[in-house]
Amino acid sequence: MSESKQQWGSRVGVILAVAGSAVGLGNFLRFPGQAADNGGGAFMIPYFCALLFLGIPIGWAEWTMGRYGGRKGFHSAPAILGVIGRGSWARYFGLIGVLIPLGVSFYYVFIEAWCLSYAIEYARALFRSAPALGIDAGAALGEQTRASSEYFATTIGRSADGVLFANGFAPIVWIFLIVFAVNLLLVWRGLSGGIETFCKWAMPAMAVCALFVLVRVLTLPAQSEEQTVANGLGYMWNPNFEKLADPKAWIAAAGQIFFSLSVGFGVIINYASYLKRKDDLVLSGLTASATNELFEVGFGGMITLTAAFVFLGLAGTTEAVAGGTFGLGFSTLPVVFAHMPLGNLFGALWFFMLFLAAITSSISMYQPTMAFIEEALGVPRKHALAIVALLGLVGSGWCVWFSGGMTALGTIDDWVGTFLIVVLAAVQVIAFGWVFGIERGRKEAHEGAHLRIPGFIWFVIKYVAPLYLLITIGRFCWLTLPGWIEGLGTNTVARNTMILIGLVVVFLAALVAVGTRRWRAQGLDVDGDHPPEDERPAPTRGR
């Protein structure tokens, strides 16, 4: 099946697929950690400001660019941005829209395997007398935390590189290979038959699992006068306005919105390219964002922060956050489940929900690469899948082997999954607002729309968002980049991981060059010099 024949089966399907791409581990692990680390309720004000002034506007721009590029016959970020930006500069920057989802998939599928492994372990614990993960609820809290942390470190091979292969394949490696194969199968089945069909099942299943766990958390008995559900919810929702003066909270909130909504990720622009001309992208984009917020704030934050607060208190929750996203999710929450009535059942539901959230995101990471390879090389879908499988196996295998200290994982996440997201978002919003044009973009976005985008949003897209993103990039290059570069010089694994990323960039750049020649030979409007047929004025007729 060629990319030109791919299409969504229904409007609900594309909304759930885009929402599934956004709803992932960032909703249930990263968001609670960011909120707790930035003052709890105080974080929610800059968070919703970033959602309103950055996330949703840039998301609408991506939906608009994607559908317009699809009408031109393109489905990949390099090709579409070449049209929107009207030149090779945007086309080569557009390869970042393939690099980000592909690079993040290198470690994300491995983490996905962690979630499934934990879900299996909790399910097994339901039918045996031994405690799940070896956590004895009767032991001292420090001992429980140590046992949980040791189980996590052993499971993922954190102690040393290659330890997961020391005595044959460790169990997590087999689980990873199964998960990897399932991802490829779903992507191979296409948009409608694979991604859309799976998301139509997985998203409701996630909601059911989350509701069960949320109800359990909201009915937990108080552990002390301070450690109650009401105080846990208050910690999340009652702002300390003094915290709003801290610029760190505002920067963290914007970063979380980008990460959570998959803005600047290269996925939305690909998914939207398969929309029909009259499909309502304004309401679809808003619905997908609202669905993501339900899972992130309504489920992720209220479950994780409230449960941690009830059992660990404010000090314990803060300490858990200091251990990082993975420490909160895979080391601290298992201790909470050990104290919770029917904890093994709710632990199994929780980690199975995390697995579903992860896989709805990871399949969206492979799809843009599939589309780009098929589009650039003109190869059949099965050949594109083989190339994606090879790239994914090499990249993910790298992260599985170099598991010691999670250095390879962290390096890719820092450079590709954090910094480049902001760069791509800046490229997209500048190309859309300043090259393609706001008036043209407004007309395209409202084609077939039942809801009009408010006027101030267009001001945000043209002025506010580019300025914010450029300041953020400049601040990073001035304050943070030198330290990151210095760290590469002192860590061999990190340096070699960046070499691997560099090789992927060279490969993608070569595909852009090959693809550009193919598209020109086919007579496609690669530089956006001509409007689509339906935008051209009708020819005048002589008398």
Side-chain angles (χ1 to χ4, degrees):
M1 183 184 297
S2 67
E3 286 297 329
S4 60
K5 295 180 181 178
Q6 292 282 321
Q7 62 180 1
W8 298 107
S10 66
R11 180 175 172 182
V12 172
V14 67
I15 291 173
L16 289 178
V18 174
S21 168
V23 174
L25 299 177
N27 299 73
F28 300 105
L29 300 181
R30 193 177 191 271
F31 169 74
Q34 290 288 338
D37 193 36
N38 290 280
F43 179 76
M44 302 308 295
I45 294 176
Y47 174 84
F48 283 116
C49 287
L51 173 67
L52 181 62
F53 292 108
L54 290 174
I56 292 177
I58 298 177
W60 269 329
E62 288 192 10
W63 279 82
T64 305
M65 289 187 289
R67 191 181 67 176
Y68 183 85
R71 289 165 58 196
K72 287 279 192 174
F74 296 118
H75 300 289
S76 64
I80 293 173
L81 283 176
V83 171
I84 299 297
R86 302 187 65 182
S88 60
W89 75 271
R91 191 158 42 250
Y92 280 95
F93 268 111
L95 70 82
I96 302 175
V98 180
L99 175 64
I100 291 173
L102 177 63
V104 171
S105 76
F106 289 170
Y107 64 83
Y108 203 88
V109 178
F110 187 31
I111 300 173
E112 199 172 294
W114 304 352
C115 299
L116 183 57
S117 173
Y118 268 62
I120 293 172
E121 177 61 23
Y122 272 104
R124 291 176 58 197
L126 289 171
F127 303 100
R128 63 185 186 187
S129 57
L133 316 187
I135 302 173
D136 183 3
L141 184 60
E143 179 64 22
Q144 295 175 50
T145 303
R146 184 191 62 79
S148 180
S149 299
E150 287 182 357
Y151 180 89
F152 175 58
T154 301
T155 298
I156 70 169
R158 190 170 185 171
S159 60
D161 295 332
V163 69
L164 296 176
F165 301 88
N167 298 302
F169 282 9
I172 193 65
V173 177
W174 289 111
I175 294 176
F176 157 74
L177 291 173
I178 294 171
V179 168
F180 181 70
V182 170
N183 273 270
L184 293 180
L185 175 63
L186 291 172
V187 174
W188 161 249
R189 291 178 60 86
L191 289 178
S192 180
I195 296 174
E196 180 179 345
T197 299
F198 181 76
C199 288
K200 281 183 175 180
W201 170 82
M203 293 295 288
M206 271 195 289
V208 170
C209 290
L211 280 172
F212 271 109
V213 179
L214 178 61
V215 170
R216 173 66 277 189
V217 168
L218 295 181
T219 55
L220 287 172
Q223 303 298 302
S224 68
E225 289 187 5
E226 177 192 352
Q227 294 172 224
T228 65
V229 169
N231 287 340
L233 293 173
Y235 173 67
M236 178 176 172
W237 290 107
N238 295 332
N240 176 2
F241 291 103
E242 293 180 0
K243 289 283 187 179
L244 297 180
D246 184 0
K248 175 176 173 289
W250 293 86
I251 294 171
Q256 175 61 29
I257 286 296
F258 282 127
F259 190 92
S260 175
L261 291 181
S262 294
V263 170
F265 212 85
V267 173
I268 293 176
I269 201 168
N270 168 252
Y271 276 11
S273 70
Y274 299 100
L275 293 173
K276 300 180 180 67
R277 179 187 173 191
K278 292 294 185 179
D279 286 343
D280 186 345
L281 60 82
V282 177
L283 191 57
S284 296
L286 187 62
T287 304
S289 297
T291 303
N292 176 75
E293 292 309 302
L294 169 65
F295 278 90
E296 178 154 289
V297 179
F299 294 145
M302 291 179 67
I303 290 173
T304 306
L305 288 179
T306 305
F309 192 96
V310 169
F311 285 106
L312 305 178
L314 178 59
T317 302
T318 305
E319 182 180 349
V321 170
T325 296
F326 298 131
L328 177 65
F330 291 94
S331 296
T332 303
L333 281 180
V335 175
V336 172
F337 289 129
H339 288 264
M340 185 184 295
L342 298 177
N344 289 340
L345 172 62
F346 290 103
L349 288 173
W350 172 257
F351 283 105
F352 181 67
M353 179 193 63
L354 289 185
F355 168 70
L356 291 178
I359 197 169
T360 57
S361 295
S362 60
I363 56 177
S364 74
M365 297 173 192
Y366 288 124
Q367 169 59 28
T369 309
M370 282 278 292
F372 176 54
I373 291 173
E374 188 172 359
E375 194 165 75
L377 298 180
V379 297
R381 190 168 179 80
K382 62 181 180 181
H383 294 165
L385 180 70
I387 296 173
V388 170
L390 178 61
L391 291 171
L393 195 58
V394 170
S396 294
W398 181 276
C399 292
V400 175
W401 179 271
F402 293 104
S403 59
M406 295 191 291
T407 301
L409 185 159
T411 301
I412 298 175
D413 185 48
D414 285 342
W415 288 90
V416 179
T418 301
F419 174 60
L420 285 185
I421 289 179
V422 182
V423 173
L424 181 60
V427 169
Q428 290 181 150
V429 78
I430 290 172
F432 181 79
W434 291 89
V435 182
F436 188 73
I438 289 297
E439 289 305 316
R440 196 175 177 189
R442 189 200 313 263
K443 180 180 177 182
E444 175 66 26
H446 289 156
E447 186 78 30
H450 296 87
L451 178 70
R452 297 186 68 83
I453 297 175
F456 79 92
I457 293 294
W458 299 106
F459 177 84
V460 169
I461 290 175
K462 186 165 185 177
Y463 297 105
V464 177
L467 181 62
Y468 173 86
L469 294 170
L470 290 176
I471 290 175
T472 300
I473 293 171
R475 182 180 180 276
F476 168 83
C477 291
W478 178 259
L479 299 176
T480 309
L481 185 60
W484 280 21
I485 294 175
E486 183 180 352
L488 295 178
T490 59
N491 190 303
T492 302
V493 172
R495 184 169 60 251
N496 290 339
T497 300
M498 286 302 296
I499 292 174
L500 174 66
I501 295 172
L503 292 174
V504 174
V505 170
V506 171
F507 174 70
L508 295 178
L511 290 188
V512 172
V514 171
T516 301
R517 289 196 294 269
R518 284 193 67 255
W519 303 330
R520 289 192 193 281
Q522 292 175 320
L524 297 176
D525 185 20
V526 295
D527 294 316
D529 295 326
H530 308 290
E533 292 289 344
D534 49 58
E535 282 191 357
R536 298 177 189 175
T540 58
R541 297 181 180 180
R543 297 192 178 187

